[in-house]
Amino acid sequence: MKHYALAILLAASAIAVDAQVKTSAQEVATPELAQKREALKNLIVTNYLGMKNSLVISDAKKTSAYAAGFADALSKFKFKKLTLEEMNASTVTRESLKSLAKHIAESASLNEQRKDMETLSAQLWTIIDKVKPENTILYQQKCPMMGTTWVSNDKKIENPYYPKNMLTCGEVIAEK
């Protein structure tokens, strides 16, 4: 009887381990999914940089178009390999970023777009490691006179918030 119970217990353990292995194997992304994810990350960063660069040249229409693309790409992005706390924080940040981007897209006022971009840029930096494409270096830049930050793919300073009076006001404060 003991041997019979032991055999059942071992069989049940083997089934449970087998089920865990199958679940782990299903979580491994295919190369095609990895490529799609990288393309989506690239789209998020490209649209953000498009917003920033459009604000540098004071083009509200281009800023709106890039903001719409940013919100759309971000809504398709799924976070991976995060703890429950990280997932919750990242999801809240994503929703806030999408809302800010949609507001920028709907606004024709450069001043309103810039104000929302300040908040969007600060929040984006908190999740930048999760959304930046591989082999990409991004810089957080700050205008010390105004305290505003933005993200750039270049160390060259081009302040999107005050391009007429303080285009070169800023410094690189972080790199990822």
Side-chain angles (χ1 to χ4, degrees), residues 39-157:
L40 193 53
K41 287 179 176 183
N42 194 40
L43 196 56
I44 290 168
V45 170
T46 299
N47 278 295
Y48 171 84
L49 294 172
M51 281 190 292
K52 190 245 334 158
N53 293 332
S54 296
L55 288 173
V56 169
I57 62 171
S58 299
D59 189 330
K61 286 184 180 180
K62 280 187 179 179
T63 302
S64 291
Y66 282 116
F70 178 83
D72 183 56
L74 201 56
S75 68
K76 295 175 184 172
F77 185 78
K78 305 292 184 226
F79 294 105
K80 302 282 186 195
K81 299 180 182 177
L82 301 177
T83 66
L84 183 59
E85 285 180 15
E86 291 171 329
M87 180 67 77
N88 289 339
S90 296
T91 301
V92 168
T93 300
R94 176 181 50 209
E95 292 308 310
S96 178
L97 289 170
K98 285 181 358 189
S99 176
L100 287 163
K102 287 176 183 177
H103 192 258
I104 292 170
E106 294 166 357
S107 178
S109 164
L110 279 167
N111 288 336
E112 283 185 35
Q113 289 177 328
R114 286 183 171 120
K115 185 175 179 170
D116 287 335
M117 186 71 167
E118 286 180 39
T119 306
L120 186 146
S121 295
Q123 289 181 6
L124 177 63
W125 191 255
T126 66
I127 63 165
I128 202 70
D129 286 335
K130 296 165 185 66
V131 298
K132 82 176 181 78
E134 289 182 23
N135 303 319
T136 301
I137 298 173
L138 296 173
Y139 306 95
Q140 185 181 37
Q141 299 176 336
K142 180 178 184 175
C143 175
M145 293 176 72
M146 302 307 292
T148 53
T149 63
W150 63 94
V151 179
S152 181
N153 61 340
D154 189 356
K155 287 185 177 183
K156 180 182 175 187
I157 302 297

Side-chain angles (χ1 to χ4, degrees), residues 7-23:
I8 291 175
L9 184 61
L10 288 174
S13 297
I15 292 170
V17 169
D18 188 42
Q20 287 175 348
V21 170
K22 287 180 184 174
T23 302

